[in-house]
Amino acid sequence: MSDRITQLRTDFDRELPAVTTDADATALRDRWVGRKSGLLTAEMKTLGKLSPEERKTAGAQLNELKGYVESAIESLQAGFAAKREAEQLVSERIDVTLPGRRLSGGHLHPITLLRQKIEDIFVSMGYEIEDGPEIETHFYNFDALNIPENHPARSPQDTFYITDQLALRSQTSTMQIHAMQKRRPPLRVAAPGRVFRRDTPDATHNPMFYQVEGLLVDRGITLGDLKGTVEEFVRRLFGPETRTRFRPSYFPFVEPGAEIDYTCFKCNGAGCRVCKGSGWIEMGGSGMVHPNVLRGVGIDPEEFTGFAFGLGLDRLCALMYGLDDIRLLYENDVRFLEQFR
Ligand code: DAH
């Protein structure tokens, strides 16, 4: 028996160096001292067949070998655990001397920046800023604005209808009606907001865009007041040298109506790429509020007169920032927007 135990120890010592992982160590333990099929466990079971003296020595030797096997495996496992921990410490090391990461803050969209600038100008000229619905009835979209029954603006090809009574507003001029219904003249209101038209998107069109509407109604207001106000507005927006011109035009809700141009903010009228060589940039429409519109909201056109003007923000924004495609403004591409910090 004694020889046999010596042999077992030699076998174990030979197997030990092959153990390189935790799994190997567990397998080696099962093989040698596993409760069911361990080699030493089986050996213990044969002790019963020995004589009492032999059993005593062999039992002691076997127990000693078992202790040897168990502690050899344990110290291997302890080595593995220590190695794992050391590796983890290296891989999870943090360099506390590195500079921290700066949080990237948000900022306003270029259209919002322009809108706020325009609102500030209106406020400085005594106007109140008003917000209004984007979905309107026929009354606000067309009837109250003196837009005739057969006008193309009413066509579903130009306007987004929701039902046959409701549509997305196609101009902020609807706000003229809300403003005059809410308060009595004298009044000065500016209304920025989104408008919607069934245009195919391209570099200069988008089905949703931004306008600002200005409206003033009081006693004795004339075309001279409109011109003076627009001139001042444009100077505050683009600089004191900016000049303005009015071209007669037709809009159903004003009479007379005019389109407004201003001298190019880039070349100051000399002609450049921004104004396509003409020296002038189109700003929007304007005119004296039509008597029918005043009458429609219960204001006597014999007593009060007023003017209105409206401008688009998107093309203006594109010109100011040198964008060659207004769609960039709506795509919310952070790489683009980040440039307006
Ligand atoms: N709402 C017009 C448009 O979208 C622009 C406009 C024209 C506004 C004349 C006005 C105005 O206030 O008086 O084309």
Side-chain angles (χ1 to χ4, degrees), residues 170-173 176 197 211 213-214 251 253-254 285-287 308-310:
S170 59
Q171 49 183 355
T172 46
S173 301
Q176 294 184 29
R197 289 184 195 172
Q211 286 187 335
E213 194 83 7
F251 301 97
F253 38 92
V254 285
S286 68
F309 62 103

Side-chain angles (χ1 to χ4, degrees), residues 92-109:
E92 290 177 5
R93 177 186 302 166
I94 41 174
D95 182 349
V96 291
T97 66
L98 281 177
R101 264 181 223 140
R102 201 180 285 276
L103 282 182
S104 77
H107 62 94
L108 296 174
H109 190 280

Side-chain angles (χ1 to χ4, degrees), residues 145 170-174 176 195 197 209 211-215 226 250-260 284-289 307-312:
L145 285 169
S170 59
Q171 49 183 355
T172 46
S173 301
T174 52
Q176 294 184 29
V195 300
R197 289 184 195 172
F209 57 101
Q211 286 187 335
V212 183
E213 194 83 7
L215 171 73
L226 169 61
Y250 170 74
F251 301 97
F253 38 92
V254 285
E255 180 57 37
E259 276 181 71
I260 308 165
S286 68
M288 300 303 291
V289 182
F307 63 74
F309 62 103
L311 61 144

Side-chain angles (χ1 to χ4, degrees), residues 149-164:
E149 282 299 333
N150 55 357
H151 195 279
R154 292 190 184 241
S155 136
Q157 259 154 19
D158 289 328
T159 299
F160 287 105
Y161 278 86
I162 293 166
T163 67
D164 53 347

Side-chain angles (χ1 to χ4, degrees), residues 244-271:
T244 316
R245 75 180 179 193
F246 287 73
R247 283 179 290 115
S249 185
Y250 170 74
F251 301 97
F253 38 92
V254 285
E255 180 57 37
E259 276 181 71
I260 308 165
D261 300 335
Y262 59 91
T263 47
C264 176
F265 52 79
K266 192 82 181 201
C267 63
N268 210 7

